[in-house]
Amino acid sequence: PGGAPAAARPLRAPLRVSPGCRAAPGRFAYKLLHDLFANYSSALRPVEDTDRALNVTLKVTLAQIIDMDERNQVLTSYLWVRQTWLDAHLTWDKDEYGGIDSIRIPSSYVWRPDIILYNNADEHFGGSMETNVVLRSDGHITWDSPAITKSSCKVDVSYFPFDGQQCRLTFGSWTHNGNQIDLRNQLDSGDLTDFVENVEWEVLGMPATRNVITYGCCSEPYPDVTYTLLLRRRASFYIFNLLLPCIMVSFLAPLGFYLPADSGEKVSLGVTVLLALTVFQLLVAESMPPSESVPLIGKYYIATMTMITASTALTIFIMNVHHCGPGARPVPPWARRLILHHLARLCCVYEVGESCKSPQRAPGGRAAPGEARAAGESPGDGQAGTEVRGCPWNHCLCHHDGLLRDVGYIAGCFRRHRANQRRTGEWKKVAKVMDRFFMWVFFLMVFLMSVLVLGNAA
């Protein structure tokens, strides 16, 4: 209108052309979709020459390791699978359709290669999600689909919990042979850029290899792409919850030899330690596959339990030696020489009041002359004998002979009592020396087994 100001006229001009410009690409997209799929069939392999193989490129991205079931040997992982191929029947001139170079349509509209996971362990055998495909004007189709896969994985638990696993993911066509579909890997390894770290497993790599295999059922070759997932277990959890408690408990077993025999707790300590290790052994056995290969920590448990069983049996034998009563036979000479002399000096086992610098008794266990006198007779025996021999018979009392018999009987009882005490003390010292000797032997065995386990793990 003539009354409108001049400054307001340019603001109304874009409103006349913008609706048509924005609506044109939408009409071209609908027309393109109608023209492409007017005479198209997704049931046939999209090649112009049926004698030529269709190239399919595969790329796998590992997003997450969901679970590793060692007992059932199943790996559950979250993958992004990208497949790229050329559809000769779905090409167009982008200038005729408003410059549209690519469209995204449901994957069910086009032909798709039947690429599946050969070593699938899922009971439902689910495939990829029905996502869209990206169709370009030159006929190239890119199909990105996420998938949660359960694959069979041969688990070797020989070095558990310091083990590493190699799980293979083999992809290939189920019905098309190599003369119809040529499957190739886009990269030399799986893509790990978007991988979410797992708390139990560390991924060392995911190399990819292309294999061409001729199966027994068919004469044609079948290509496949195998991704080998290299895993290493993070052992910190198992070290602090299974290995260290076992090592600490196993070091308690030799201390049973250090307990006094009169305490009555030597055998109970060994049995308690054995039961504790049995519980740890059951915890490991529940998560391991029932195979012939025994895990490293299981071997350590078995060796430790065997050692504790032997120590408990030795403790029972040593307690029997310790409680030898007065009716026991004297300590044999070889035992005096070997145990009471050499082993006692080696293990620093001495009587009360003795030390490493104190003079030692003779190997035969003979006491000093003063001790023999104290052990064999009373201080007044010699004087009494002298008095008897020097006593004039005319001054002896009538009951003198009876008194001498009584004194002789008391002195004999005292000698037998001291001899029994000395024999019992020798057997107790033999038991004490054996306790101390086996304590150091079993301490050394536990230490060597622990070092051996850690060395094999390294």
Side-chain angles (χ1 to χ4, degrees):
R9 294 175 185 174
L11 299 177
R12 299 172 59 185
L15 298 176
R16 300 174 182 175
V17 296
S18 57
C21 294
R22 284 195 291 264
R27 291 198 302 269
F28 285 135
Y30 278 103
K31 183 176 183 301
L32 174 62
L33 184 63
H34 180 270
D35 294 344
L36 286 177
F37 294 96
N39 296 316
Y40 181 82
S41 175
S42 61
L44 298 177
R45 194 166 51 96
V47 291
E48 295 181 353
D49 187 1
T50 56
D51 294 334
R52 298 184 59 182
L54 177 65
N55 294 327
V56 177
T57 305
L58 182 67
K59 177 185 177 183
V60 173
T61 300
L62 179 63
Q64 185 181 3
I65 295 176
I66 299 177
D67 181 42
M68 167 65 87
D69 188 356
E70 292 92 347
R71 189 169 186 84
N72 297 317
Q73 303 188 78
V74 174
L75 171 67
T76 305
S77 55
Y78 178 39
L79 306 176
W80 299 344
V81 182
R82 168 174 288 189
Q83 304 176 47
T84 305
W85 67 94
L86 177 63
D87 195 321
H89 303 314
L90 296 178
T91 60
W92 71 90
D93 186 2
K94 58 183 178 181
D95 295 332
E96 296 180 1
Y97 294 93
I100 297 178
D101 184 53
S102 63
I103 57 175
R104 287 160 176 80
I105 57 177
S107 59
S108 58
Y109 284 18
V110 300
W111 176 89
R112 295 172 296 180
D114 55 344
I115 305 298
I116 64 169
L117 181 64
Y118 279 175
N119 56 332
N120 198 317
D122 192 358
E123 57 182 1
H124 302 293
F125 211 87
S128 303
M129 291 180 60
E130 295 293 333
T131 56
N132 291 342
V133 298
V134 179
L135 176 60
R136 299 192 179 277
S137 59
D138 57 357
H140 281 89
I141 297 178
T142 302
W143 183 24
D144 289 326
S145 60
I148 296 179
T149 61
K150 290 185 177 182
S151 58
S152 58
C153 177
K154 185 179 179 180
V155 179
D156 184 12
V157 294
S158 300
Y159 292 94
F160 176 85
F162 305 98
D163 57 330
Q165 305 297 334
Q166 295 184 4
C167 295
R168 291 176 173 82
L169 302 171
T170 303
F171 294 90
S173 175
W174 188 251
T175 57
H176 297 89
N177 55 49
N179 300 325
Q180 298 170 337
I181 290 182
D182 187 11
L183 182 63
R184 296 186 177 274
N185 49 303
Q186 182 177 348
L187 301 174
D188 293 335
S189 63
D191 189 6
L192 300 176
T193 54
D194 298 316
F195 176 69
V196 179
E197 292 292 335
N198 190 268
V199 295
E200 184 178 1
W201 296 96
E202 178 184 0
V203 178
L204 303 180
M206 194 178 177
T209 56
R210 181 179 180 270
N211 308 303
V212 179
I213 302 176
T214 302
Y215 296 96
C217 64
C218 315
S219 59
E220 298 85 2
Y222 281 84
D224 64 68
V225 176
T226 301
Y227 292 88
T228 304
L229 189 59
L230 305 178
L231 302 175
R232 183 171 62 189
R233 192 188 302 271
R234 303 180 191 270
S236 302
F237 174 82
Y238 299 97
I239 289 176
F240 286 101
N241 290 277
L242 290 180
L243 190 58
L244 283 183
C246 174
I247 293 177
M248 290 188 291
V249 167
S250 60
F251 270 101
L252 289 177
L255 291 177
F257 292 106
Y258 196 73
L259 276 177
D262 298 330
S263 64
E265 298 293 333
K266 294 171 71 71
V267 177
S268 355
L269 176 62
V271 173
T272 304
V273 173
L274 189 62
L275 291 177
L277 289 178
T278 305
V279 172
F280 284 114
Q281 175 71 14
L282 291 177
L283 290 177
V284 174
E286 286 179 357
S287 58
M288 293 294 101
S291 62
E292 294 182 356
S293 59
V294 181
L296 184 63
I297 190 172
K299 295 178 181 178
Y300 180 72
Y301 285 163
I302 293 298
T304 307
M305 292 168 67
T306 304
M307 184 199 67
I308 293 174
T309 303
S311 67
T312 306
L314 284 173
T315 300
I316 295 174
F317 171 74
I318 293 173
M319 288 184 65
N320 190 18
V321 173
H322 175 83
H323 291 288
C324 284
R329 293 181 298 176
V331 178
W334 65 268
R336 284 199 181 96
R337 208 166 35 248
L338 177 64
I339 298 177
L340 296 182
H341 181 65
H342 297 292
L343 283 183
R345 184 180 301 177
L346 179 65
C347 300
C348 288
V349 178
Y350 302 101
E351 297 293 342
V352 178
E354 294 181 351
S355 65
C356 297
K357 299 181 180 180
S358 300
Q360 300 293 319
R361 290 186 177 182
R366 296 184 179 88
E371 294 181 11
R373 180 181 178 183
E377 57 181 347
S378 61
D381 287 345
Q383 298 176 3
T386 303
E387 184 178 353
V388 168
R389 288 191 296 270
C391 176
W393 287 97
N394 53 359
H395 295 88
C396 289
L397 300 176
C398 60
H399 59 276
H400 184 269
D401 293 337
L403 182 61
L404 288 178
R405 285 195 300 270
D406 293 341
V407 171
Y409 176 77
I410 295 174
C413 291
F414 184 74
R415 291 192 199 97
R416 288 192 297 272
H417 177 69
R418 292 300 298 267
N420 292 336
Q421 282 186 340
R422 187 166 56 251
R423 189 182 304 119
T424 304
E426 286 181 350
W427 282 115
K428 287 184 178 181
K429 187 175 181 180
V430 167
K432 186 176 181 181
V433 172
M434 294 175 64
D435 265 336
R436 196 65 55 85
F437 173 73
F438 284 118
M439 182 187 73
W440 291 115
V441 168
F442 279 90
F443 263 128
L444 182 61
M445 291 176 59
V446 172
F447 177 75
L448 290 179
M449 283 193 300
S450 304
V451 172
L452 185 62
V453 169
L454 296 178
N456 288 335

